[in-house]
């Protein structure tokens, strides 16, 4: 029962963080002229919270063992990046797009691999995760390359990327994290 409780916390946390990323992305699209320092602090806090949820998810036991398989190391990494973004926000404003582009691209690549694994498990919605992951990865790459010099355009691109990241994580939480109420801990241990 403890493993199911942890899995519920991880899944609900993943969903909440996904919605928060969607809201932040939409906010940036609508208000691209926001203060870079305020933006860095918001993103830093969200990254730290997201990293904590990822680590909790890694130690949970979902029935497919798909959604959280890469989240221990990735969770620690984004907590560290979130802390640096908050502590050194004045320096991070110039590096933000590249750093966030790398984070989004890396997560999209992990999700592409996870969607292929989901297909092997016979999950019908694997292709939705794959499509959203590819599109998210493209936008992460655009942020990394920074093809536009205008801060306003780059903030809109960041908003789109963050919105897509939220949608991608929401798809993963909904389509791959399954709560089987009657699953025994021996079943989980055998397959994870």
């Amino acid at each position: 029962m403890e493993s199911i409780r942890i899995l519920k916390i991880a899944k609900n946390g993943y969903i909440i963080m996904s919605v928060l990323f969607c809201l932040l992305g939409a906010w940036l699209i609508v208000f691209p002229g926001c203060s870079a320092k305020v933006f860095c602090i918001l993103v830093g806090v969200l990254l730290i919270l997201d990293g904590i949820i990822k680590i909790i998810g890694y130690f949970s036991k979902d029935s497919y063992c798909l959604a959280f398989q890469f989240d221990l190391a990735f969770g620690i990494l984004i907590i560290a990046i979130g802390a640096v973004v908050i502590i050194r926000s004045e320096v991070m404003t110039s590096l933000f797009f590249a750093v966030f582009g790398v984070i989004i691209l890396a997560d999209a690549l992990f999700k592409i691999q996870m969607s292929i694994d989901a297909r092997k498990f016979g999950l019908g919605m694997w292709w939705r995760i794959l499509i959203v992951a590819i599109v998210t990865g493209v936008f992460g790459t655009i942020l990394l390359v920074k093809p536009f010099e205008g801060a306003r355009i780059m903030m809109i691109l960041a908003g789109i990327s963050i919105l897509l990241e939220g949608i991608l994580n929401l798809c993963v939480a909904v389509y791959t994290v399954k709560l089987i109420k009657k699953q025994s801990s021996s079943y989980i241990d055998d397959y994870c």
Side-chain angles (χ1 to χ4, degrees):
M1 286 311 255
E2 181 67 19
S3 63
I4 291 174
R5 188 179 71 76
I6 293 171
L7 183 58
K8 283 181 182 180
I9 291 169
K11 182 177 182 173
N12 291 335
Y14 228 69
I15 290 169
I16 290 167
M17 290 309 301
S18 299
V19 170
L20 289 174
F21 276 114
C22 287
L23 291 172
L24 178 61
W27 182 64
L28 282 177
I29 293 167
V30 175
F31 303 108
C34 70
S35 162
K37 184 172 175 108
V38 170
F39 176 67
C40 281
I41 291 171
L42 278 174
V43 168
V45 169
L46 283 178
L47 288 175
I48 291 169
L49 292 174
D50 194 40
I52 292 168
I53 295 298
K54 286 183 182 302
I55 292 169
I56 291 169
Y58 178 80
F59 288 107
S60 70
K61 300 287 186 174
D62 69 296
S63 56
Y64 294 118
C65 299
L66 288 171
F68 309 117
Q69 63 184 326
F70 305 111
D71 281 0
L72 177 61
F74 199 58
I76 293 168
L77 176 66
I78 64 173
I79 287 172
I81 291 171
V84 170
V85 167
I86 292 170
I87 294 167
R88 299 293 307 230
S89 61
E90 67 283 346
V91 174
M92 289 304 296
T93 54
S94 62
L95 299 173
F96 174 78
F97 297 114
V99 170
F100 213 66
V102 168
I103 292 171
I104 289 174
L105 178 60
D107 194 44
L109 292 173
F110 288 138
K111 298 301 193 300
I112 288 170
Q113 180 177 340
M114 192 257 331
S115 69
I116 293 168
D117 291 341
R119 180 177 167 229
K120 291 176 187 174
F121 275 97
L123 297 179
M125 297 299 176
W126 68 271
W127 58 272
R128 288 184 181 176
I129 297 168
L130 178 65
I131 291 169
V132 176
I134 290 170
V135 172
T136 303
V138 167
F139 275 90
T141 303
I142 291 170
L143 277 182
L144 184 59
V145 174
K146 196 177 174 184
F148 305 104
E149 290 303 317
R152 196 170 182 81
I153 293 172
M154 287 306 297
M155 284 299 239
I156 291 171
L157 283 174
I160 293 168
S161 299
I162 293 168
L163 177 64
L164 288 169
E165 178 70 14
I167 292 168
L168 175 60
N169 286 328
L170 191 58
C171 288
V172 168
V174 170
Y175 295 138
T176 66
V177 180
K178 300 298 177 192
L179 299 171
I180 300 173
K181 294 191 189 314
K182 301 280 186 203
Q183 86 190 80
S184 69
S185 61
S186 64
Y187 169 82
I188 294 170
D189 293 336
D190 290 344
Y191 292 99
C192 293

